[in-house]
Amino acid sequence: MHDVAVAAHDLGKRYRIGAARGRDRSLQTEPPNNLGWVSRSLRAGLLAALPFRPKARQDFWALRNVSFEAERGRVMGIIGRNGSGKSTLLKILSRITYPSEGAAVVHGRVGSLLEIGTGFHPELTGRENVFLSGTILGMRRSEVERRFEEIVEFAGVGRFIDTPVKHFSSGMYLRLAFAVASHLRAEVLMIDEVLAVGDAAFQRKCMDRMNQIAADGRTMFFVSHNLSAVARLCRRCLVLEEGRVAALGSVEEGLRAYNELLKARPDQPVSDAGAGLAIHDLRVIHDGEVLRGSDPIELTFEVVVNHRYWLISLFVGISTPEGSHVAIESTGSDQYPELLEPGRYRVRMTVPPLWLRPQGYSAWVKIIAHPQRGKTKRFFSEWIDLVVAGDISCDVNSDRLLAPPATWVISPSASAQCPAAAITPDRREDHGEA
């Protein structure tokens, strides 16, 4: 049994939102003895003349009743919608802000990558910013000196390290900032959305570095909307929904629970019969008993239009259990103008074989409708299961999403460095060749 590195007990964080309600100020309660009173009186008079009143301050709980334990040397993923409390939780664990209720116990030194570039100053050189940022992030000067060459090599900015960072490209700036933060020697590391910036090569380098951190046996909390990265990096997962714990367990259980939340509560309400538009009877159609990777994917559904619209766009998507979109197809009233008129329409969509890896997926429909007047409206269908069965002869593993059949051609090379003898008779005989 591993030791507990971080333990949270009924954590809660409350914020006050809305306008402040100060005490009443008038000639009867406060004499006009300074210009400040005059300006406040004028402001109060102007506000009183407006047709609206500032809202009273209200309590908003960004976190409530959050409890969990993280074992030493484990990587815990934290996922959830925007505004679910992920960053607030990391700020509390990093001691940047204090909880309004409950307590969190953290054993060991804490390092935080909550914002790339913390402590960087544009007028200072890259070298100076390495020391400045490292100190702000909790490293001693001697530690920065010992790891300076490693940081610069990781960032790949050695030629420009004595140049003010205001002359750096955005990519160079990000690489140096991440290099400093990721070389913290902390027992507990908080990482918040560092993969959301940079190009694909930079993101791969970030992932490799975080894999190394995890392999070193340090405890890490990883917040990201990149669910594939969460699945690869983490073993346990905490799902937050509206500031509360929605699920806590293995990463597979967490991703499954998060996917169910997305199905149950999309960004907009699922359409119903009383709305201006509704989506019914979404189904997948296939000839055989099961859908295979080599089959075309055919979906059908019904659209009920209750009001006339100026423009309608249809989107049909297929998503992985982690929430990543495999394919999204779209069409609209520019091709099918009859959709603009009230009525019931049966929609049938077919895509060629996608050669998806055998597993479960989800299919869904989204419709964006633009009325003549008023706001654009979005309507969603229920998500349905789409299961791809295995009929693909090649090796299928969890590291890839597509599994098309490949054709291999192996022949002797004409190059002198690769003589024909490189393919031995035994190997040819194993493949059944003459």
Side-chain angles (χ1 to χ4, degrees), residues 222-397:
F222 180 53
V223 171
S224 179
H225 288 287
N226 186 337
L227 300 183
S228 297
V230 173
R232 291 196 303 270
L233 191 64
C234 305
R235 292 296 174 266
R236 288 183 59 79
C237 187
L238 171 67
V239 183
L240 294 178
E241 176 71 2
E242 295 184 346
R244 298 177 182 269
V245 176
L248 175 63
S250 67
V251 67
E252 293 82 7
E253 294 170 343
L255 294 176
R256 191 180 306 117
Y258 181 56
N259 195 35
E260 292 300 322
L261 285 174
L262 294 179
K263 292 181 183 180
R265 288 192 54 203
D267 291 336
Q268 298 289 336
V270 174
S271 59
D272 54 53
L277 188 149
I279 306 165
H280 300 294
D281 196 25
L282 174 60
R283 291 180 290 166
V284 57
I285 300 175
H286 47 81
D287 296 332
E289 295 182 357
V290 295
L291 177 68
R292 302 184 181 277
S294 56
D295 296 336
I297 298 177
E298 187 171 3
L299 297 170
T300 179
F301 57 94
E302 186 180 60
V303 177
V304 179
V305 181
N306 297 318
H307 306 301
R308 195 181 193 285
Y309 289 94
W310 173 68
L311 180 66
I312 288 179
S313 299
L314 285 74
F315 300 86
V316 177
I318 299 172
S319 302
T320 66
E322 295 81 17
S324 300
H325 300 322
V326 175
I328 298 179
E329 296 294 326
S330 64
T331 189
S333 55
D334 53 341
Q335 298 180 3
Y336 302 95
E338 61 269 21
L339 286 173
L340 299 176
E341 299 297 332
R344 304 178 75 93
Y345 304 93
R346 171 59 63 177
V347 181
R348 197 180 187 101
M349 186 213 71
T350 304
V351 296
L354 297 177
W355 295 101
L356 295 174
R357 180 170 67 89
Q359 67 170 31
Y361 299 87
S362 296
W364 49 268
V365 177
K366 178 177 74 172
I367 297 181
I368 301 178
H370 304 266
Q372 292 284 358
R373 296 183 180 86
K375 295 182 178 180
T376 298
K377 297 183 180 296
R378 291 171 171 81
F379 303 93
F380 293 80
S381 72
E382 299 286 353
W383 290 39
I384 65 168
D385 293 331
L386 189 153
V387 179
V388 176
D391 67 341
I392 300 169
S393 60
C394 60
D395 179 33
V396 177
N397 56 65

Side-chain angles (χ1 to χ4, degrees), residues 112-124:
S112 304
L113 284 74
L114 304 186
E115 184 177 348
I116 293 292
T118 300
F120 271 40
H121 192 288
E123 298 296 334
L124 299 180

